[in-house]
Amino acid sequence: MRVLLAAAEMAPVARVGGLAEAVSGLVRALRDQGVEVEVVLPDYGDVRLQRQFETELESPWWTGPTRIRSGSHSSAGELTLVGVTGMARPHPYVDEHGEGWPDNDHRFMAFSAAVATLTRRSKPDVLHLNDWHSAAALGMLAAPPPTVLTIHTLGYQGHAPRAWLEHLPVGTHHFSWHEGCNPLAGGIALTDRVIAVSPNYAREIVTPEGGMGLDGRLKAIGDRLVGIRNGIDTATWSPAVDPLIAAPFDATDLSGREACRDRLIELAGWSARKPAIVAAVTRLVDQKGIDLLVEAAHYLEAMPAPLPPPRAGGASPAGSPRPVGGDASLAASLHELASERPESVFFAEGYDEALGHALFAGSDLFVMPSRFEPCGLAQMQAMSYGSLPVVTDVGGLHDTVVDADARRDGTGFVTDVSAAGIVDGLHRGVRSLRNANRRRAIQSRGMSIDWSWDAPAAQHIGLYQELLSARA
Ligand code: GLC
């Protein structure tokens, strides 16, 4: 089976958020299971390929010249990179102030046009699009192969001026959206299947609360909308073999975790050991609810010190957000919190892979106060690393974390979306740390679950096959 998969990000080639991790994990697992995947990404520049083959791609007049580079990337494997005018930039979506590039509509419409051309040329069995960046390809393909469109988030839909409709000759009216053009809306109407990145997100997005304006359209496609939970890339996220952490450990022997915890305390620059370490690793955008955490942090000092020996300090939120393109005021409030309480709050701004791994391996609790979360990967990484997740009851967090106070098979703590909810969840989490046996039981349940891409990739293959036999 040959699949052409197009996306705006893939780790480590181009990485802003979870989309990059999800795409690289899925592609690796599909290839392992025998699917031939042609990956098509925008060429943001600076990516080295071996055995590179460069050529001009025929393209509609309005895109300007399109150059493609194909070759092998040291860790992502075979890739095709699409270079169109203005694509090569230091950040895929935003300038140094976090503002979207003014020509993003042109950049990704031209990328979508190239995806359409490459699809016509290589005639894959299945076309797999991701998010709005490539969705417009369906407006340019008169006879597309069986197609799936994965929605990693409805938060970005690619709203563009109405004039773009002119360049979307197929199903034009599906792209027409209020006064403008909505690539994601058109893609949803024209694709054979929409995949939401978790079953619960698939349920949420057909409601007005979760649909971000597209609920009607998503409801209209009925059972062409399916939910498949993401996996995590266990080649990178496995504490038994992770070269970036202080000491290896696994579900049967957690002793290495102590060294990881000490390393984290050292990285945070704290002078004393801490009773409970709470971590977060996230992009600083509204969706992630970090403002709720900042609010909650003001109540955390008052928490009774939970672990023997009791020491001052309370719970310690540590964080390594990925604010590239994030909200500057959120970063400012975190810096402020960290400077007010250097002994209990540590904040690092920017993407730091080693620190990220250290946070999962060394923290006791891992908090995700998301307002919405299509799937979320960090909670699965946290469980794999024995850090108990404290999460809001939304999207894929609902599907992956079981509340340990509500059920015997609990793996973490689930709260509602509010600062009070986060405080309650952290309280319950900290209380569980006090009872070593209980903590250990919650940890080992989370660590024993198979969070890899094996099963989700097999579900994708099943879906591709279903579409292929329906066509035949
Ligand atoms: C987006 C979503 C996140 C999801 C990721 C990968 O970043 O916000 O919930 O896990 O895409 O699908």
Side-chain angles (χ1 to χ4, degrees):
M1 188 182 324
R2 283 173 48 242
V3 175
L4 189 150
L5 184 143
E9 300 175 34
M10 179 185 193
V13 181
R15 158 153 61 190
V16 177
L19 169 63
E21 312 296 328
V23 167
S24 63
L26 174 63
V27 168
R28 194 199 307 265
L30 288 172
R31 285 176 173 159
D32 285 350
Q33 295 184 32
V35 179
E36 206 180 299
V37 190
E38 179 179 359
V39 177
V40 181
L41 306 175
D43 193 346
Y44 302 114
D46 273 354
V47 174
R48 252 215 234 128
L49 299 179
Q50 279 122 37
R51 296 186 305 281
Q52 176 168 303
F53 174 77
E54 216 178 321
T55 174
E56 181 116 1
L57 190 72
E58 68 278 21
S59 55
W61 63 269
W62 56 265
T63 67
T66 304
R67 287 201 73 74
I68 56 165
R69 299 196 276 141
S70 299
S72 172
H73 182 271
S74 54
S75 90
E78 293 298 317
L79 295 182
T80 297
L81 302 176
V82 174
V84 290
T85 312
M87 191 55 92
R89 302 261 165 91
H91 186 282
Y93 315 129
V94 297
D95 65 16
E96 68 273 30
H97 310 293
E99 297 290 332
W101 300 113
D103 56 349
N104 274 345
D105 52 352
H106 184 275
R107 295 167 76 229
F108 290 103
M109 288 287 183
F111 173 62
S112 299
V115 170
T117 306
L118 288 165
T119 303
R120 273 190 294 267
R121 207 168 75 172
S122 57
K123 299 188 174 47
D125 298 314
V126 173
L127 174 62
H128 190 152
L129 306 171
N130 291 274
D131 280 352
W132 73 271
H133 314 96
S134 54
L138 286 171
M140 308 179 216
L141 275 170
T147 303
V148 303
L149 167 61
T150 298
I151 296 180
H152 296 266
T153 178
L154 281 180
Y156 309 99
Q157 301 174 9
H159 292 284
R162 193 163 182 83
W164 282 106
L165 294 177
E166 250 176 71
H167 305 312
L168 301 168
V170 179
T172 311
H173 64 283
H174 293 303
F175 291 92
S176 166
W177 199 253
H178 303 287
E179 302 308 304
C181 166
N182 183 328
L184 189 61
I188 291 169
L190 293 170
T191 189
D192 295 293
R193 288 287 185 286
V194 170
I195 303 179
V197 289
S198 69
N200 190 46
Y201 194 52
R203 288 189 292 271
E204 287 176 348
I205 60 182
V206 296
T207 67
E209 300 74 44
M212 301 206 156
L214 288 176
D215 41 295
R217 174 143 308 184
L218 286 158
K219 211 167 172 176
I221 65 169
D223 57 10
R224 288 198 288 126
L225 168 65
V226 298
I228 302 180
R229 169 182 73 67
N230 285 331
I232 57 172
D233 195 344
T234 45
T236 311
W237 293 105
S238 208
V241 294
D242 187 339
L244 296 174
I245 63 177
F249 58 90
D250 61 26
T252 58
D253 181 6
L254 281 160
S255 53
R257 242 187 157 266
E258 270 309 298
C260 295
R261 203 171 183 279
D262 290 343
R263 163 77 64 83
L264 183 54
I265 288 168
E266 195 186 309
L267 287 170
W270 291 325
S271 55
R273 279 186 63 83
K274 298 288 162 184
I277 303 179
V278 182
V281 179
T282 179
R283 280 178 295 134
L284 288 181
V285 290
D286 185 62
Q287 172 198 344
K288 304 292 179 177
I290 295 301
D291 54 315
L292 300 175
L293 182 61
V294 171
E295 207 183 319
H298 293 290
Y299 300 95
L300 296 181
E301 291 284 80
M303 251 192 209
L307 289 181
R311 272 182 234 216
S316 315
S320 163
R322 302 171 183 170
V324 203
D327 182 330
S329 70
L330 271 178
S333 54
L334 287 163
H335 279 302
E336 193 183 312
L337 198 64
S339 65
E340 275 165 15
R341 306 190 212 162
E343 264 307 310
S344 64
V345 179
F346 167 66
F347 169 58
E349 189 173 352
Y351 181 73
D352 181 335
E353 196 167 7
L355 180 57
H357 283 247
L359 284 159
F360 287 101
S363 60
D364 302 303
L365 300 173
F366 191 93
V367 64
M368 294 178 75
S370 304
R371 292 196 162 80
F372 70 95
E373 194 62 79
C375 179
L377 305 172
Q379 79 281 14
M380 295 187 269
Q381 291 162 193
M383 285 185 272
S384 304
Y385 279 66
S387 185
L388 307 187
V390 177
V391 303
T392 48
D393 195 14
V394 297
L397 299 175
H398 172 92
D399 287 334
T400 48
V401 181
V402 174
D403 193 289
D405 285 329
R407 273 170 47 179
R408 300 179 68 94
D409 58 344
T411 50
F413 300 90
V414 183
T415 75
D416 48 69
V417 183
S418 66
I422 307 306
V423 172
D424 165 69
L426 288 171
H427 257 280
R428 295 191 294 116
V430 163
R431 200 182 315 131
S432 79
L433 302 178
R434 264 187 246 161
N435 177 337
N437 288 336
R438 178 160 186 252
R439 176 194 192 167
R440 189 58 223 270
I442 302 173
Q443 274 179 320
S444 51
R445 279 194 291 272
M447 293 179 85
S448 321
I449 296 172
D450 177 9
W451 297 115
S452 78
W453 268 102
D454 294 352
Q459 278 177 277
H460 278 84
I461 295 172
L463 185 62
Y464 298 157
Q465 264 153 358
E466 189 188 317
L467 293 178
L468 277 172
S469 33
R471 279 283 172 106

